[in-house]
Amino acid sequence: MAMTPLDSLLTCLRFPSVSTDSAHAEDVRACAQWLAGFLRDSGLNTTVHPTPGHPIVVARNTHRPGRPTVLLYGHYDVQPADPLDLWLTPPFEPRIENGIIFARGATDNKGQLMAHANGLRQTMAADGDLPVNLIALFEGEEEIGSPNLGPFLAAHRHDLACDVVAISDTGMVAAGVPTFTYGLRGITCCEVELTGPALDLHSGIFGGSVANPATELARLIAQLHDAHGRIMIDGFYDQVRPLASWEREAWSTLPLNDQAILKLTGSPALFGEAGYSSVERTWARPTAEVNGLGGGYQGEGSKTVLPSRAFAKFSFRLVPDQNPAVLLPQIEAWLQARTPATVTLTVRSGHSGQPYAMDPHSRHGQAAQAALRTTFDGREPALIREGGSIPIVQSFKDILGADTLLLGLALPDCQAHAPNENFPIANFEAGQRLNRHLLQELARV
Ligand code: BES
Ligand code: ZN
């Protein structure tokens, strides 16, 4: 019996394709091979390209002159499933309850990717071809900052030349509300270590006579923001593009308001840079976050120790026109300048991605919105930016010269990156329709 679209998604979800964990490298590779088989069986000419990291899957129909070329991007890698004990059922054994699929990757990004892959398969089966020249490009390293995809784009820039890129890997402002995203935040990550004494010390014998690295790290972190949520690093906001007044106006009427966000987060109260609403803060303002913090004794009970080191993992979300390459040295200099002589600071930089913004009223943007309207029963799409990052998007612009259309299908409560990630079957089906309508609309641009 032929595999149904839902079966294909469930099969894809069973691969624990966790890109950050080298123990899963073989699972990531197996997922790429399976995906390539699916695309090949759909009638697309498909290649799995090895990289120094995880493979890139490229599939295309027969290209004909006179038709636009559309590059469809997605990622088949997922975030780690931890903390495992908070999952109601195992993350890589998908479960369906009340029409909702629960699994790691259900929304981010396998559900959305497989919706498009099934849409392509259906059109190929019905018409023997697609209405455009298509390049499907699916990578296995998005969740670790796409370190090998930029070089791949540069090396294959002629083969990958296209008029526009389309991605479903962003959100909808509410269930049933078609959403077109025209901007993403960028990101830059770093790990900071403070070392003090050469070894962990008895806090009775030495405490009071040398500085505690954990205390000094806490002091540094506390200086990052003022009491109103503004980041205190010198020059941090210099390149920030102010919000346009039409954006503030349009966003103020969205169902994703402060009240809805308070409920989604389960926080006692909202907090952020003064003078901005929650969606303005997350979509159009930069942040400085501590993602992890450690040092000293973490076990049961107490241990009277003065730790020799403490560390913090930071990420900074960036907005147009900030640039990670400019900011990272500024951040490091700011931290160094505030580090007392009693400890030593080391900064290790991690991955980075550029922020992105396009004109939602461009011809391609309008075509994407028309496809969303048709897919969602004629409802008018919300025009938004997003706070998350898809690091390769600005590289599509820089290397291939193409804008990216972001047509997300993730719901606000999808629990991406968290336990019990989920995706409604209704969104999976909408994604299959969206693929067909999008290619039809783009064929006419
Ligand atoms: N799908 C997300 C990006 C996203 C999330 C866009 C929410 C819009 C709203 C993507 O898979 C992701 O999680 N990206 C990472 C990139 C990072 C690891 C470089 C992110 O944003 O943390
Ligand atoms: Zn993600």
Side-chain angles (χ1 to χ4, degrees):
M1 214 175 65
M3 189 181 242
T4 65
L6 184 58
D7 286 337
S8 73
L9 172 54
L10 298 181
T11 302
C12 186
L13 290 169
R14 288 189 189 101
F15 292 96
S17 49
V18 180
S19 49
T20 193
D21 185 349
S22 55
H24 282 297
E26 190 49 37
D27 298 313
V28 180
R29 204 188 62 83
C31 190
Q33 290 295 345
W34 176 84
L35 182 58
F38 182 90
L39 296 162
R40 216 169 272 135
D41 289 347
S42 308
L44 299 172
N45 191 341
T46 308
T47 315
V48 179
H49 296 267
T51 75
H54 303 304
I56 296 167
V57 179
V58 179
R60 49 175 82 222
N61 58 346
T62 304
H63 286 198
R64 291 201 265 118
R67 303 194 299 192
T69 301
V70 178
L71 191 151
L72 177 70
Y73 165 92
H75 65 93
Y76 64 86
D77 66 318
V78 298
Q79 289 268 329
D82 326 43
L84 277 178
D85 54 319
L86 294 183
W87 285 80
L88 296 177
T89 48
F92 298 108
E93 294 171 26
R95 163 176 67 96
I96 300 178
E97 203 179 300
N98 297 326
I100 299 173
I101 307 161
F102 290 82
R104 169 57 81 235
T107 281
D108 185 7
N109 176 233
K110 289 173 173 174
Q112 301 183 74
L113 183 162
M114 287 307 296
H116 280 282
N118 276 285
L120 296 175
R121 191 184 186 94
Q122 289 151 16
T123 306
M124 289 296 289
D127 306 343
D129 195 8
L130 304 167
V132 297
N133 297 333
L134 180 95
I135 304 168
L137 175 73
F138 298 140
E139 71 153 320
E141 300 190 322
E142 194 273 348
E143 299 290 7
I144 52 173
S146 303
N148 290 295
L149 188 54
F152 183 84
L153 293 187
H156 296 83
R157 61 193 336 141
H158 298 297
D159 287 342
L160 299 174
C162 59
D163 297 290
V164 71
V165 178
I167 306 181
S168 289
D169 192 25
T170 49
M172 295 171 64
V173 293
V177 181
T179 303
F180 180 76
T181 294
Y182 60 91
L184 294 167
R185 287 198 289 193
I187 191 167
T188 188
C189 302
C190 65
E191 199 169 322
V192 168
E193 186 180 46
L194 280 193
T195 49
L199 67 169
D200 281 3
L201 301 175
H202 189 297
S203 66
I205 301 175
F206 297 103
S209 67
V210 293
N212 184 320
T215 308
E216 294 310 325
L217 181 60
R219 210 192 298 280
L220 276 182
I221 292 172
Q223 292 176 67
L224 263 180
H225 299 89
D226 72 7
H228 309 288
R230 197 174 162 85
I231 298 160
M232 300 304 285
I233 297 170
D234 303 313
F236 192 77
Y237 291 93
D238 286 357
Q239 312 303 326
V240 171
R241 200 189 292 177
L243 270 145
S245 50
W246 74 267
E247 298 182 288
R248 301 195 87 162
E249 211 167 293
W251 296 355
S252 68
T253 61
L254 294 174
L256 200 60
N257 54 24
D258 281 7
Q259 205 50 42
I261 289 171
L262 183 63
K263 191 156 165 247
L264 280 166
T265 62
S267 295
L270 294 173
F271 174 73
E273 192 185 357
Y276 296 92
S277 71
S278 289
V279 294
E280 289 170 353
R281 289 167 179 164
T282 52
W283 297 347
R285 302 294 298 170
T287 62
E289 298 288 357
V290 178
N291 302 128
L293 195 54
Y297 181 61
Q298 310 278 330
E300 191 180 342
S302 61
K303 180 181 185 216
T304 46
V305 68
L306 196 163
S308 78
R309 63 180 282 272
F311 73 89
K313 289 172 185 274
F314 290 99
S315 63
F316 299 83
R317 294 279 173 176
L318 310 177
V319 299
D321 299 303
Q322 289 179 300
N323 181 350
V326 173
L327 283 171
L328 208 56
Q330 267 172 262
I331 295 166
E332 179 164 0
W334 184 90
L335 288 166
Q336 285 290 5
R338 275 151 194 81
T339 302
T342 52
V343 288
T344 306
L345 175 104
T346 321
V347 179
R348 265 182 300 276
S349 51
H351 57 71
S352 287
Q354 301 280 351
Y356 179 72
M358 67 159 312
D359 172 12
H361 309 297
S362 69
R363 283 180 309 134
H364 287 125
Q366 289 181 36
Q369 289 158 51
L372 283 166
R373 220 176 274 122
T374 313
T375 304
F376 290 94
D377 305 321
R379 280 189 82 157
E380 196 49 35
L383 300 187
I384 70 166
R385 297 201 238 164
E386 281 271 29
S389 309
I390 306 176
I392 205 62
V393 168
Q394 184 58 39
S395 308
F396 285 137
K397 184 78 184 174
D398 294 340
I399 299 171
L400 304 179
D403 277 334
T404 294
L405 308 169
L406 297 156
L407 308 104
L409 300 166
L411 294 188
D413 60 355
C414 67
Q415 308 199 183
H417 296 200
N420 307 305
E421 178 178 352
N422 60 84
F423 192 52
I425 293 175
N427 287 35
F428 182 53
E429 288 172 345
Q432 296 168 53
R433 299 196 303 274
L434 176 62
N435 178 266
R436 183 158 37 88
H437 298 316
L438 180 66
L439 298 191
Q440 281 166 358
E441 290 292 343
L442 291 175
R444 289 203 278 267
V445 173

